[in-house]
Amino acid sequence: MKEELETANRPDNTAFTQQRLPAWQPMLSAGIVIPGFVLIGLAFIGIGVALFIASQNITVLEKDYTGVEITSDCYKCSNPSDKNCTCKLDFSLSNLFEGPVFFYYGLSNYFQSQRSYGVSKDDYQLSGDLDYFKTPISACSPYQYDANQNPIVPCGSLANSMFNDTFKLYQIVNGTKKLVPFDGKGIAWWTDYNIKYRNPSVTPLKNAFNGTVKPPFWSKPAYELDTSDPSNNGFVNQDFLVWMRRAALPDFRKLYRRITEGDYASGLPAGNYSLEIGYNYPVLSFGGRKKVVFSNVSWMGGKNQFLGIAYLVVGSLCVVMSTVMLIVYAKFKFPEDD
Amino acid sequence: MLRRRLNRLFGRDERKVDSRTIYVGHRPCPTTEALIPPKFCDNRIVSSKYTVWNFLPKNLFEQFRRIANFYFLIIFLVQVIVDTPTSPVTSGLPLFFVITVTAIKQGYEDWLRHKADNEVNKYLVTVLEDGRRARKESEKIKVGDVVEVVEDETFPCDLILLQSSREDETCFVTTASLDGESNHKTHYTVPDTEKNLESLSATIECEQPQPDLYKFVGRMHIYRNDQEPAVRSLGPENLLLKGATLKNTQKIYGVAVYSGMETKMALNYQGKSQKRSAVEKSINAFLLVYLCILVSKALVCTTLKYVWQSRPGQDEPWYNQKTQKEKDTNLYLKMFTDFLSFMVLFNFIIPVSMYVTVEMQKFLGSFFISWDKDFFDPEIQEGALVNTSDLNEELGQVEYVFTDKTGTLTQNNMEFIECCIDGFQYKYADSGTELDGFCVTDGPVSMLQQKAGREKEELFLRALCLCHTVQVKEATGQGDGVGDGVENQVDGVMGLDGEMIHPADLRGFIASSPDEVALVKGAMKYGFKFLGMESKNMRVMNRNNDVETYELLHVLNFDPVRRRMSVIVRTKSGDTMLFCKGADSSIFPRVRQEEVDRIRMHVERNATEGYRTLCVAYKLLSSEEYDQADTGLREAKLALQDREEKLMAVYNQVETGMSLIGATAVEDRLQEEAAETMEALQGAGMKVWVLTGDKMETAKSTCYACRLFQRSTELLELTVRTLVDPERKREERLHELLLDYHKRAVQDAPPIKAGVTRSWSSANQDYGFIIDGATLSLVLNSSPDSNSSCYKSLFLQICQNCTTVLCCRMAPLQKAQIVKMVKNSKGSPITLSIGDGANDVSMILEAHVGIGIKGREGRQAVRNSDYAIPKLKHLKKLLLGHGHLYYVRIAHLVQYFFYKNLCFILPQFLYQFFCGYSQQPLYDAAYLTMYNICFTSMPILANSLLEQHICMEVLMDNAALYRDVAKNAMLRWGPFLYWTLLGVYQGLLFFFGVRFLFSNPALQDNGQVFGNWSYGTIVFTVLVFTVTLKLAMDTRHWTWINHFVIWGSLAFYMFFSFFWGGIIWPFLRQQRLYFVFANMLSSVSAWLIIILLILLSLLPEILLLVLRKPRGPHSRQKKPVVQSGEGETQSPRSSARPLLMRTFSDESNTIL
């Protein structure tokens, strides 16, 4: 009986309860850190060089077409009351612009990241739920209902403010304009147009929109965004989807078209080009700018010098620090063991 | 608490009356005109806090009184009311969780209390009602009821003992559950009450309830038919306390005098005041800083928002029109709600989870103390006990240790060592060269090898056998062990028998003080055996095996003021004798001076050798003297007012003119490893104060034995002895001495460098300070006209500059006073009190950390302590090992928590500059909620439970390491600033690193662009990895659990992100993160920036770690070697030398 008592009271003699679990006690000693730093530094420098070269090889052509300067052709369109204005932007390429070429539009001082703006949409509506066609969520306000209390589909500021400038690119070949074919597919995330956003399963699509009105800023309703291709129409229109993915920063660019077809699959050959712009989107009222960007991409994405330089700096920092450490240690003597 | 306060409020009227009158059996008494049934409270004990009805509101109210909970409630309400960026769920869910868990825990505890209350309240007791015995629930007992209690039952309320089944009108009681004393105490019936309780007509007049367990004054009026009412005095010996247990008595009858919450037990029940640790104070300070950061962030954002909006075109761009409601809102109201929204957005900087994690760390961490098998004591079959887990880290911060002497530094295991009879010293020789075992070892030089007369010897031994309150444990109580013990005891050879089996066994005798047992046993060694009491007759067997009986007439009880006790006995031959034993200081003035001189030398030498000495004196009382004393005592005992004082006066009157027979020396051995422990504590920079009720010489020698005083220590003495100066007043002398000591210890001492880096080994003169109770009260409570506060601060300054302070002759309350004084002194040092007896409770409760030793003096200290350990030697591991580790752990936990939330929220703050100050969250709501709950909580919890930055053995061997963390070193503003800067650096890095990457958001090789949620997810991924790897870098002790939780939470983060982004969640209004994480991982640039930022944010840490390195390993490895070398040279001296040899050489010289 006494022994029983003893076992009941005596603390368990396990490694855990006695805080004696076998443990690895790493010591960052100079013997590990200095070679480690050298290795990391060298690897970073390697990556940095690769990134830098990749970024250097990317060609970017950026053109502002807001029309602030009088010299710009688009100056005439900068008056917001002027509807359906078109302007031209001419440029010439001295070398081949290697393909595939991606065509972006860019906006600056445009706060897509504002909270009230960002929440002003109805994801249920956009996933094709007809219930929300009749009663969009209140977050869409002031673009929830129009003045006649008709529901707006797609509702909300985000959809309403969709970018609606149109672009046509011509190559001037011997004085004649040759249309460069644009590919409007594959510019949005695959999951967006296949899963996240859906049209209501009503054919024709137009009927689903009965009793609703288009967003006031839009020139045409959602079911007419791309009448040529039903899989690119309505809510799964890729221009629409690109717009709906909010940019993180107030100066942003969004993918508009890819140039992958015909004679231009391998890039834009040297020559003169003319970009015909359907100037609809007002930005001057809030001090914004509009631009177009032609760019090709590498394995690291678009052109970005920052990453390569950062890698080079950090890599060389590591190497420098390991030398400093080596000197410090040589001075203070290496610890005898480990 | 509230109840008590209310009681106090309403009870004021009642209290005006000094006494209460109780009608025994509710029968009216002839003299009183009419029975007005007085109203007393019922016998219900309520220790529970809640009822079913008030639980919810009351508990919620109490929980939200905590400032943190209230803060989170406010945040939650703001989220509900105001349009805020995050849904109320993000803060409501964690808050709800915390509140619920706490409520369940408190509810469960209260349910247990209810159950315990019910068990007591519904217990069936027998009550005499109109001559019938009725069974009643305990809670229905009313004051005045006559209650029957049978053996081994506890008393249901405070009773006056009326009748006992024992013939000698006594009963035995053990108060183990009240004060922890397990010995049987004898209580007496009220003398001369009628045998027939039915017809007993009496009233009891007694004082109003008061909490002192050992004080009771009352008077009983017994009315007999037409006679003058007889008056009997009632004292504590007549009062049976609720909670005590009846022993060795078949049954008793008693009348209830105090019931329910007015019983002494209930009045003594006090919820311990909650102690808060210093770390908590640091947390609160840091919290305030973070609150300021939070508010200023919100203010900055709100201001900038309106500045920004005032620029043309920014307030309401065409693409982001305001709703009608927004336009209508008042500008200032809008500003205010914006401010609140920012507060909500940034409120994650002060996370709920920190409180939960800290609580969990403390709760779980405390198990390691109770689990530690090094604390297990095979003797008592128990390990350490943790009564509160709030103070774990405080164990690593102790600056002052206040220790009791008896039972703490010493074992309180008394052994009779030697005695001195008539100036001749006798020492018991084991071999027994002489027949009677007596052997003279020493004596006055001139009379060496002489012995006192046989008559004197026998008188002395008889005195030892008679002058005590020891009981012989009755045979009926003995069912175990020695089978034939019953017979032996009756035969009177129990002592011999017991000695053969276990020389040190105390089983045969029960006494409240171990000294008495030691003395009785000592007498037994010399041939005089105390056989026990037989109805007021004490039986003693002398050397010739004849039984002598003495009639015990009076016991003049021991009390700490008189410091002596006496018995008056009548011998067979009719002589009346008074035997008295007590401290030398209280006996010497009462005996003839020529006797004193012969014995004083021995007493003093014994005292310096660390023995407890008692002097024995006797006096033959003539019959007139006896009659005078007898009436005096009886009168005093009957007094209702000032009984104590009257008794004292009679005692003092009787105990005069005695003749000194001899003195005894009893050794109280040092606890195991007491000296080593004390040395380690001092080595760790703690100052040890010994607070004892013992006399100065004994305490001083104990201090030498424990190496608290060293040979080189200069002692500064401030005692009654040093204050004696015939020419001047005591106060003047005190003033002079204080100034002198202050000059020596404070002013002349080289200034101590502030902070932790004190050079301990320097050749500074060590000072020891000695003060006694009387002088202390002079210092603390000196008359207001003299500069008392000046004394106090002088005293405190001297004490703080001494390595050891010895305070002797302390009353329990004075102990607490001293602790309080040090606690409230400049710099508010952390104090620890350690003790084992009821007299240490006050200082245990007063100190920051109270440690109880599971010793011999009962359990009261243990129950009131924060931690209880079986032996003093365990204190070393508790403080140097566990305490140090807990402090480092919790300090790291707190710093890390603030750090990780700062670099969590800083990018979100910075993002406001890029989203038009619109309170756009950078991270998804799921990430915001889960960051502290799931992704980063487990690694830090595991780390704060398992981390051993230096392993336990090294910490124990190397006491000086304790100073590294002294004075809250890891939670001061310096380290806090470091962690904060680290958090700011990393937060900036995370945000701007990704910001520059996003200058071209086309990050995929298919030219597609990333949006704001990808931005946030990249930052968040870097964040989670960085803070987890930062923790991994801080971890010095990687067990499999650390590996599991660190890599596990990273894996969980990856898994969760895939899962969260992989499904269209039907309950979400916005599918923000759909495939964001997967897309991020498909981008090489995102990978590269994540790796780069993680490395870059950890780089400074790695550098610091490595550059700090050259000194690190050296100090860590060298120190133990040096220390153990010192230890080897010192330890043999300290452990091998017996206590006797370790006395102060100067003093032993003076004696020889």
Side-chain angles (χ1 to χ4, degrees), chain B residues 896-961:
Chain B
Y896 179 79
F897 242 99
F898 281 112
Y899 146 79
K900 85 175 165 121
N901 283 296
L902 182 63
C903 59
F904 172 49
I905 286 306
L906 190 63
Q908 182 140 288
F909 167 69
L910 294 171
Y911 190 59
Q912 299 310 309
F913 296 87
F914 297 89
C915 67
Y917 311 99
S918 59
Q919 301 116 29
Q920 169 68 35
L922 181 60
Y923 318 110
D924 182 57
Y927 283 158
L928 280 173
T929 317
M930 306 271 282
Y931 175 73
N932 274 314
I933 297 178
C934 298
F935 300 144
T936 59
S937 64
M938 288 315 283
I940 182 62
L941 183 63
N943 176 277
S944 65
L945 286 172
L946 301 168
E947 175 68 354
Q948 296 177 37
H949 65 301
I950 304 172
C951 73
M952 200 77 106
E953 285 74 27
V954 178
L955 283 176
M956 302 261 292
D957 291 343
N958 210 337
L961 287 176

Side-chain angles (χ1 to χ4, degrees), chain A residues 2 5-6 9-13 16-30 33 37 40 44 47 51 102 104 109-124 132 137 141-143 157-158 160-161 186-192 195-196 217 245-255 258 281-283 285-286 297-304 306-307 310-311 314 317-318 321 325 328-329 332 335-337, chain B residues 83-85 308 313-314 317-323 341 368 370-374 376 378 381-382 877 882 885 889 911 913-916 918-921 945-946 948 951-953 993 995-1015 1035-1041 1043 1064 1066-1072 1074-1076 1079 1084-1085 1088-1089 1091-1092 1095-1096 1099 1102-1103 1105-1107 1109-1110 1113-1114 1116-1117:
Chain A
K2 213 171 182 183
L5 203 82
E6 187 165 325
N9 280 340
R10 186 181 283 277
D12 288 344
N13 187 11
F16 175 67
T17 55
Q18 300 308 312
Q19 306 196 58
R20 286 180 197 287
L21 280 176
W24 171 55
Q25 286 163 326
M27 279 293 187
L28 281 176
S29 66
V33 173
F37 263 50
I40 291 174
F44 268 47
I47 295 171
L51 279 169
F102 293 81
Y104 298 88
N109 202 24
Y110 191 106
F111 286 85
Q112 257 206 322
S113 49
Q114 285 208 35
R115 182 167 65 91
S116 52
Y117 178 76
V119 297
S120 184
K121 61 170 184 171
D122 187 343
D123 271 15
Y124 288 132
Y132 294 91
I137 63 165
S141 173
Y143 301 104
S157 312
L158 185 52
N160 177 58
S161 60
I187 55 172
W189 289 14
W190 185 91
T191 46
D192 280 357
I195 300 159
K196 191 172 165 183
F217 183 70
R245 183 154 297 278
R246 292 159 63 201
L249 302 169
D251 297 329
F252 61 88
R253 62 176 72 163
K254 286 179 183 270
L255 189 53
R258 300 186 301 158
Y281 207 73
V283 292
S285 62
F286 54 86
V297 298
S298 71
W299 52 271
M300 58 166 286
K303 189 180 183 87
N304 196 341
F306 163 72
L307 204 53
Y311 261 86
V314 174
L317 212 64
C318 283
M321 277 192 301
M325 266 187 275
V328 168
Y329 270 81
F332 286 91
E336 304 84 73
D337 49 345
Chain B
D83 166 46
T84 55
W308 180 75
Q314 305 299 356
W318 67 267
Y319 57 86
N320 189 16
Q321 299 274 331
K322 287 181 184 170
T323 57
S341 291
F368 283 120
S370 46
W371 279 338
D372 195 324
K373 75 171 175 6
D374 290 350
F376 182 77
Q381 294 290 324
E382 273 179 78
K877 189 177 185 188
H882 286 284
L885 286 182
R889 288 169 182 171
Y911 190 59
F913 296 87
F914 297 89
C915 67
S918 59
Q919 301 116 29
Q920 169 68 35
L945 286 172
L946 301 168
Q948 296 177 37
C951 73
M952 200 77 106
E953 285 74 27
R995 158 79 186 78
F996 287 121
L997 183 76
F998 263 68
S999 55
N1000 181 356
L1003 293 173
Q1004 279 178 294
D1005 57 359
N1006 59 7
Q1008 291 172 2
V1009 294
F1010 280 166
N1012 66 324
W1013 297 118
S1014 301
Y1015 190 110
T1035 306
R1036 292 270 153 279
H1037 191 83
W1038 285 80
T1039 66
W1040 65 267
I1041 299 172
H1043 280 288
I1064 296 276
F1067 57 85
L1068 286 182
R1069 208 63 222 243
Q1070 298 212 355
Q1071 309 290 341
R1072 300 154 161 175
Y1074 189 65
F1075 258 73
V1076 163
N1079 257 322
V1084 181
S1085 292
L1088 290 176
I1089 194 78
I1091 292 167
L1092 178 85
L1095 188 90
L1096 199 56
L1099 211 58
I1102 299 175
L1103 264 184
L1105 223 74
V1106 175
L1107 289 180
K1109 199 78 191 109
H1114 281 273
R1116 200 168 291 172
Q1117 281 155 13

Side-chain angles (χ1 to χ4, degrees), chain B residues 974-1114:
Chain B
F976 176 70
L977 197 68
Y978 169 74
W979 282 91
T980 308
L981 288 180
L982 188 72
V984 170
Y985 163 72
Q986 296 190 349
L988 289 172
L989 205 62
F990 299 158
F991 183 78
F992 287 106
V994 183
R995 158 79 186 78
F996 287 121
L997 183 76
F998 263 68
S999 55
N1000 181 356
L1003 293 173
Q1004 279 178 294
D1005 57 359
N1006 59 7
Q1008 291 172 2
V1009 294
F1010 280 166
N1012 66 324
W1013 297 118
S1014 301
Y1015 190 110
T1017 307
I1018 293 174
V1019 173
F1020 193 75
T1021 309
V1022 178
L1023 170 77
V1024 168
F1025 273 81
T1026 305
V1027 296
T1028 310
L1029 290 178
K1030 157 77 183 142
L1031 185 71
M1033 269 173 39
D1034 287 346
T1035 306
R1036 292 270 153 279
H1037 191 83
W1038 285 80
T1039 66
W1040 65 267
I1041 299 172
N1042 293 87
H1043 280 288
F1044 180 75
V1045 292
I1046 287 183
W1047 312 126
S1049 20
L1050 290 181
F1052 174 74
Y1053 167 68
M1054 301 291 278
F1055 170 78
F1056 175 83
S1057 300
F1058 265 116
F1059 187 63
W1060 185 244
I1063 294 174
I1064 296 276
W1065 296 97
F1067 57 85
L1068 286 182
R1069 208 63 222 243
Q1070 298 212 355
Q1071 309 290 341
R1072 300 154 161 175
L1073 280 200
Y1074 189 65
F1075 258 73
V1076 163
F1077 191 73
N1079 257 322
M1080 180 191 89
L1081 291 186
S1082 73
S1083 156
V1084 181
S1085 292
W1087 277 91
L1088 290 176
I1089 194 78
I1090 288 170
I1091 292 167
L1092 178 85
L1093 290 179
I1094 292 172
L1095 188 90
L1096 199 56
S1097 34
L1098 294 178
L1099 211 58
E1101 273 281 300
I1102 299 175
L1103 264 184
L1104 262 176
L1105 223 74
V1106 175
L1107 289 180
R1108 211 186 281 155
K1109 199 78 191 109
R1111 275 168 286 136
H1114 281 273

